[in-house]
Amino acid sequence: MNSPTVFIVDDDTAVRESLCDLVQAIGLNVETHAGAQEFLDAYDPARPGCLVVDVRMPGMSGLALQEQLAARGVRIPLIMITGHADVPMAVRTMERGAFDFLEKPFRAQVLLDQIQRAIQRDQQIRQQERRRAQIAGRMALLTPRERAVLDRVLEGRANKVIAAQLGISKRTVEVHRAQVMHKLEVDSLAELMQQVLFFRGLPPVPPARPSGFVRLGENHNSGT
Amino acid sequence: MTRAQLAQKVRALDARVLELERAEVERRQHEETLREKAATLRAVIDCSLNPVITIGFDGTVQLASYSVERVFGWKPEEVVGQNVRMLMPEPYHSQHNEALANYRRTGQTTILGRTREFEGLRKNGTVFPCEITVWRVDLPGKDAPLFTGVIVDISERKRAEVALRAGEERYRTLFEDSRDAIYIVTREYVHPAERDRFQQEIEQDGSVRDYEVKLRKKDETAMDCLLTSTLRRAEDGTILGYQGVIRDVTERQQARERLRRHEAELAHVLRLSTVGEMASGLAHELNQPLSAVSNHAEAWMRRLRSGAGTSEELLAALEQISQQAVRAGEIIRHLRDFVRKGEPRRSTVGVDEIVHEVVALVSSEAQQKQITLRLELAPGMPAVAADRIQIEQVLLNLVRNAFEAMTELEAGTRALTIRTSTAAEELVEVAVADTGRGLNPETIDHVFEPYFTTKAGGLGMGLSISRAIVEAHGGRLWATPNPDRGVTFRFTLAQ
C-alpha cells in the first residue's frame, strides 16, 4: 500500500473518468471521487501520492477542500484544475500552498509531468517527516540536562564554559555530550548540528514553480 | 178733393206705404242676406292662411284678405286702394304696371292661370320668396276684369330646400372624399368563395365589423381589407343586400409586418448579446467534454506506444471519446439554434425540456457564482404550442436577471428556483424565483419597459422583448415580490 496513488476529485463524470484513464496510462494508481466530502471521508493521510481537484464543484469546492486539509495538517500535494479562467482564484490557491493550478483544456503531458513532480514532492515530504519523527524519537530520549548541554553545544560554547554555566564539572559536560551524540546517533558535531537544525527549523514545503495557470490558454512544455 | 177721394188717396197711400215697407223689409232682408253672404265669403277668404288679393286692371288692390297682415305686415285696409306693387320688391315693383298695361293691350301674359315664384316685400322692408297663382275674374256687368292672386310664403320651404341641398352636398362630399370605399350591393354581389362565411356572419348578427378579407384591385394587386357592413332589408324584412364600408388596411398590415420583423431582429440581437455574456460559462461547458476527449486520446496513445492495454479497454475509451464529442456537439448545436435568426417556428414543446436546456446553459455560470439551482417541475405537464428558441430566450433572460440580482448576496444565500405548474385550464405557468435584492412593488411593472435596466452596461431590452414574445404566444409575463426576499417572475403559455 505504499506505492503512490493519484486521487482525482471532479464532479463531472466524463472528466473524472478520462483523467483516470490518462493517469493509469502512465502506470500510476488512481482513485477517483465525485466530491470533496467523499474524498475526505475515505482518505487516509498515510497513503502517499497527490491530489488532483476541480476547483468548482457543488457542495465543497476545491478551495474549501484545500482549507480542510490544511486544518487537519494533511500536506498531500494539491493540483487544482479549472474550466474557468479565474486568476484571483488561482492566486489564492497558490498562496495557500497548492502545488499547481491548471486550466482546462491542458496538454496531457503538462498534467502528467506535474503529477510526477507532485508525487516526488510528496515522497520528499514524507521522507522528511519520517526523518523528523525519527529524530524526535531520539531527542525524546535525552534527559533535561543532556538537552541543556546540547543547546549550548549548538550555540558554539566550549565545554569549559558550558560547565561553568550549568554549574557542573567539565567532565560531566563531556559525559553528557557523549551521551547526546550516542542517543542521537551522530558521529560528528557537524552531523549533530545538521540533524537538530533540520528538526527544529524545517521550513514548510516550498511550492513548485507554477506551470500553467497564469498563461491562460497556452500549451507549453514545462521544464523544471 | 172729396172726402171719399181723400180717403181713397189715403188708402192708396197706405197701401203704397205698406208696399214700400214690405219692399223695404225685403230690401233689408236682401241686404242682410247679401251682407251675410259677403261676410261669409269674406270670412272664408280671411280664413285662408295664404293672402288673397284682388286687383283691378290698373293694379289697385280692391280686396286683401286678413292674412295679408300675417305675411306682409300690412293691415288689409292699408293695402286696399293702393297699387299692389307696394307689396313687390325690385325688379317686380317697377315692372308690374307695365306688365298689366301690356296685358291690357296685347293679352299676353306669363302669369295668369299658373303658379310662379316671385318675391314679396314686407312692411318692414324684408324680402321673402313666394309662390303666386293669379286668375282673371270676369264679373257680369263689369267691363274690366279683376285679377285675384293667392300668395304662398315659401320661405320655410326654401329654407328647407337649401338645408336639404346643403345636407346632401355635405354627405356627398363626405361620400366622395371618403378614403374608404362605400358600397350598397345586392346579395348576389358577394363572391361565391366568401359567400358562406360573410353571409353567415352578417345575416346572423345583422352586421359585421372589421371583417378581414383579401380583395383584388383592377391591376390585380391584392389588398388586405376590413369590411364593416349592415343588412339592407325590405319593408317586409326580406334581405335585399348589404351596405357598408371597405377599408384598405394593406399598409397597416405591412406596418405590422415590419414591426414584427423588427421585434424578431431585436430578439435575435439580444440572443446574440446574451450568448456573448455567457461566453465564459459556455466555454466551460465545452471544455468538459473536450478535456475528456483529450485525456482519453492521450492515455491511449501512450498505451499503444508501449504496447499496453487491451482492445476492449481501448474500445471503451473510444466509446467515451465518441460520446463526449457528441456532448460537445450538442452544446454547439444548441448554441447555434439559439442564435439562429429567422422566423419563429411554432411546434409542440414540452416545458420541462425547455427548462432543462436553459439549466444546461447556465449551470456552470451558476456554479461559478455559487448560486443553488432548484427545479420544482410539476409532473405530467402538457406540451405547449410555442417557438422553442423564443421561450428559451425568455426563460434564460429571467434566470440571468435573477443571477444578476443575487450577485451582492452572501455566498450560501443565493438560490434560484424554477417552478412549473398548470395555472388555469389549458395554461402552463413557469415561475422563476430568486432570493435577491428584490424590486419595489410600486415600480415593479417598470422593469418591462424598454431601456429600463439596473445593470451598468445593460441594454434594458431583455424584459420588454421577453414580454413581447410571451404576449405573441398569447400569454402573460409579470413579476411579484416574494414574501421573504427576492422576486418571482411568472409567465403563462397556452397549451
Side-chain angles (χ1 to χ4, degrees):
Chain A
M1 223 18 244
N2 265 334
S3 56
T5 307
V6 178
F7 298 94
I8 297 177
V9 182
D10 193 323
D11 63 304
D12 186 308
T13 309
V15 170
R16 192 172 64 242
E17 286 177 2
S18 65
L19 283 174
C20 178
D21 198 15
L22 179 63
V23 175
Q24 281 177 345
I26 59 168
L28 291 172
N29 288 334
V30 176
E31 189 177 288
T32 61
H33 294 277
Q37 191 60 54
E38 194 192 292
F39 164 74
L40 274 178
D41 293 342
Y43 179 61
D44 173 6
R47 295 172 61 190
C50 70
L51 184 50
V52 177
V53 178
D54 190 317
V55 157
R56 300 215 183 259
M57 296 184 286
M60 196 189 301
S61 70
L63 200 60
L65 176 58
Q66 188 181 32
E67 283 168 17
Q68 281 284 309
L69 291 172
R72 297 177 193 199
V74 175
R75 292 158 75 177
I76 183 171
L78 193 54
I79 297 173
M80 295 280 220
I81 57 177
T82 182
H84 305 266
D86 199 345
V87 173
M89 165 72 65
V91 169
R92 259 210 304 281
T93 59
M94 295 308 289
E95 281 172 355
R96 291 182 200 183
F99 189 77
D100 200 359
F101 191 93
L102 297 181
E103 205 207 342
K104 281 187 284 206
F106 37 72
R107 285 271 301 275
Q109 194 59 56
V110 170
L111 176 65
L112 293 175
D113 287 347
Q114 288 300 85
I115 285 176
Q116 299 280 36
R117 256 180 235 117
I119 288 174
Q120 278 171 21
R121 166 68 66 188
D122 180 65
Q123 283 174 341
Q124 206 178 47
I125 294 172
R126 282 173 196 279
Q127 219 172 35
Q128 284 174 348
E129 280 182 0
R130 272 195 296 274
R131 185 117 172 82
R132 206 200 259 111
Q134 198 182 52
I135 297 172
R138 292 176 192 164
M139 297 271 279
L141 298 174
L142 300 180
T143 67
R145 240 312 121 83
E146 283 165 355
R147 213 164 298 146
V149 168
L150 173 61
D151 288 339
R152 284 159 181 77
V153 165
L154 289 176
E155 283 169 15
R157 311 272 181 223
N159 289 349
K160 195 161 62 171
V161 174
I162 297 173
Q165 279 187 352
L166 295 179
I168 52 179
S169 71
K170 193 170 129 185
R171 174 68 197 159
T172 316
V173 169
E174 281 167 9
V175 167
H176 284 320
R177 197 167 155 150
Q179 273 293 79
V180 166
M181 302 279 276
H182 173 72
K183 285 183 185 175
L184 292 185
E185 295 179 36
V186 294
D187 292 326
S188 67
L189 180 59
E191 228 183 301
L192 174 70
M193 289 195 72
Q194 211 180 45
Q195 216 180 83
V196 177
L197 288 176
F198 167 79
F199 173 73
R200 285 185 185 165
L202 194 72
V205 179
R209 183 175 70 81
S211 65
F213 83 92
V214 199
R215 294 190 285 278
L216 306 176
E218 187 188 293
N219 294 317
H220 68 281
N221 288 318
S222 62
T224 255
Chain B
M1 174 130 358
T2 63
R3 216 199 284 229
Q5 278 179 320
L6 198 67
Q8 207 181 353
K9 259 237 157 83
V10 166
R11 274 201 296 277
L13 281 172
D14 275 338
R16 184 97 186 105
V17 166
L18 270 171
E19 247 181 68
L20 283 173
E21 281 177 351
R22 220 177 294 129
E24 177 69 22
V25 165
E26 258 185 57
R27 193 187 60 82
R28 280 208 188 112
Q29 275 179 355
H30 197 65
E31 242 182 57
E32 188 68 38
T33 309
L34 275 178
R35 245 205 304 277
E36 265 181 45
K37 277 207 175 122
T40 307
L41 273 173
R42 180 76 207 207
V44 166
I45 289 175
D46 279 343
C47 272
S48 167
L49 282 178
N50 300 315
V52 179
I53 293 178
T54 307
I55 62 173
F57 237 135
D58 61 353
T60 310
V61 176
Q62 304 203 355
L63 181 147
S65 71
Y66 186 67
S67 46
V68 158
E69 181 168 13
R70 182 180 69 84
V71 174
F72 286 94
W74 298 103
K75 290 194 172 45
E77 50 271 27
E78 291 172 306
V79 170
V80 169
Q82 307 297 320
N83 192 309
V84 71
R85 70 181 182 182
M86 72 182 274
L87 302 176
M88 299 178 187
E90 292 297 343
Y92 312 110
H93 186 98
S94 318
Q95 291 168 355
H96 192 248
N97 281 350
E98 181 62 40
L100 274 175
N102 188 49
Y103 173 69
R104 205 169 180 174
R105 262 199 319 275
T106 64
Q108 276 182 336
T109 174
T110 53
I111 188 173
L112 285 183
R114 278 211 207 101
T115 304
R116 283 185 55 189
E117 270 189 41
F118 284 98
E119 286 179 321
L121 176 66
R122 294 201 188 92
K123 180 179 182 178
N124 61 17
T126 55
V127 172
F128 65 93
C130 57
E131 246 173 28
I132 299 180
T133 320
V134 184
W135 300 270
R136 179 181 159 137
V137 179
D138 292 290
L139 292 173
K142 294 279 174 99
D143 51 0
L146 294 178
F147 302 97
T148 304
V150 177
I151 300 122
V152 180
D153 180 348
I154 56 170
S155 319
E156 273 308 310
R157 198 180 80 194
K158 279 284 181 210
R159 249 196 299 279
E161 264 173 37
V162 166
L164 184 64
R165 227 188 335 268
E168 254 187 36
E169 190 55 38
R170 197 165 46 240
Y171 287 118
R172 175 162 296 280
T173 310
L174 284 176
F175 192 90
E176 298 290 346
D177 289 353
S178 164
R179 300 196 60 207
D180 301 326
I182 302 175
Y183 64 89
I184 301 175
V185 299
T186 58
R187 289 184 88 206
E188 291 68 41
Y189 201 85
V190 178
H191 194 280
E194 282 290 338
R195 219 172 263 176
D196 293 330
R197 185 164 76 105
F198 178 72
Q199 276 189 350
Q200 202 178 43
E201 218 175 295
I202 193 174
E203 291 181 10
Q204 206 167 46
D205 300 333
S207 65
V208 292
R209 202 172 178 73
D210 291 337
Y211 177 90
E212 287 179 17
V213 72
K214 255 188 163 48
L215 299 176
R216 209 182 26 228
K217 294 206 247 208
K218 184 173 178 184
D219 62 1
E220 301 291 320
T221 53
M223 336 184 258
D224 293 306
C225 294
L226 295 178
L227 257 59
T228 300
S229 188
T230 51
L231 288 175
R232 274 174 54 233
R233 285 188 197 273
E235 274 190 14
D236 62 356
T238 51
I239 295 171
L240 294 173
Y242 319 105
Q243 63 211 2
V245 176
I246 303 171
R247 170 160 300 165
D248 179 358
V249 293
T250 312
E251 250 184 55
R252 195 175 80 178
Q253 287 288 70
Q254 286 172 349
R256 259 199 225 137
E257 256 307 297
R258 275 197 297 273
L259 178 65
R260 208 190 41 75
R261 251 178 286 139
H262 181 76
E263 275 183 354
E265 273 173 38
L266 185 56
H268 176 241
V269 164
L270 282 179
R271 286 201 296 278
L272 287 174
S273 145
T274 301
V275 164
E277 287 168 20
M278 292 179 2
S280 78
L282 290 170
H284 179 262
E285 284 298 309
L286 280 174
N287 261 341
Q288 305 288 72
L290 283 177
S291 294
V293 165
S294 166
N295 294 339
H296 280 300
E298 287 279 344
W300 279 93
M301 286 196 299
R302 278 158 221 280
R303 284 199 182 98
L304 288 176
R305 279 195 205 110
S306 63
T310 66
S311 305
E312 280 146 358
E313 288 169 340
L314 172 57
L315 199 59
L318 289 173
E319 271 170 11
Q320 265 302 296
I321 285 177
S322 177
Q323 259 178 42
Q324 291 305 302
V326 167
R327 175 179 162 191
E330 275 302 301
I331 293 168
I332 290 171
R333 185 198 55 81
H334 187 221
L335 255 184
R336 192 193 57 218
D337 281 350
F338 190 71
V339 299
R340 145 174 78 75
K341 202 174 159 155
E343 296 304 304
R345 291 183 214 161
R346 295 280 176 104
S347 60
T348 330
V349 194
V351 172
D352 285 3
E353 275 174 64
I354 294 181
V355 172
H356 286 304
E357 297 257 26
V358 169
V359 165
L361 278 174
V362 302
S363 65
S364 58
E365 199 181 334
Q367 240 179 53
Q368 189 177 31
K369 297 184 169 155
Q370 294 172 282
I371 296 170
T372 316
L373 285 179
R374 279 193 210 112
L375 299 183
E376 291 171 17
L377 308 181
M381 290 285 283
V384 294
D387 176 308
R388 150 191 255 104
I389 293 297
Q390 286 193 335
I391 302 302
E392 254 186 57
Q393 177 172 5
V394 169
L395 186 55
L396 184 60
N397 180 236
L398 296 180
V399 166
R400 297 195 71 249
N401 282 352
F403 283 7
E404 185 68 24
M406 295 191 282
T407 44
E408 291 147 19
L409 260 53
E410 281 178 21
T413 59
R414 302 177 199 158
L416 181 97
T417 311
I418 302 177
R419 254 178 244 119
T420 59
S421 57
T422 38
E425 291 215 357
E426 315 204 339
L427 271 188
V428 158
E429 185 184 285
V430 179
V432 176
D434 65 59
T435 55
R437 57 178 178 256
L439 291 168
N440 185 344
E442 319 266 305
T443 56
I444 202 165
D445 230 41
H446 286 310
V447 298
F448 295 102
E449 285 164 19
Y451 309 115
F452 179 98
T453 179
T454 55
K455 286 202 300 209
L459 278 172
M461 295 303 295
L463 280 174
S464 113
I465 283 291
S466 293
R467 195 176 238 183
I469 289 173
V470 169
E471 283 175 1
H473 282 82
R476 275 209 314 138
L477 170 63
W478 73 102
T480 42
N482 295 336
D484 40 359
R485 59 176 306 148
V487 180
T488 300
F489 279 80
R490 289 185 176 85
F491 64 92
T492 53
L493 293 169
Q495 288 180 24

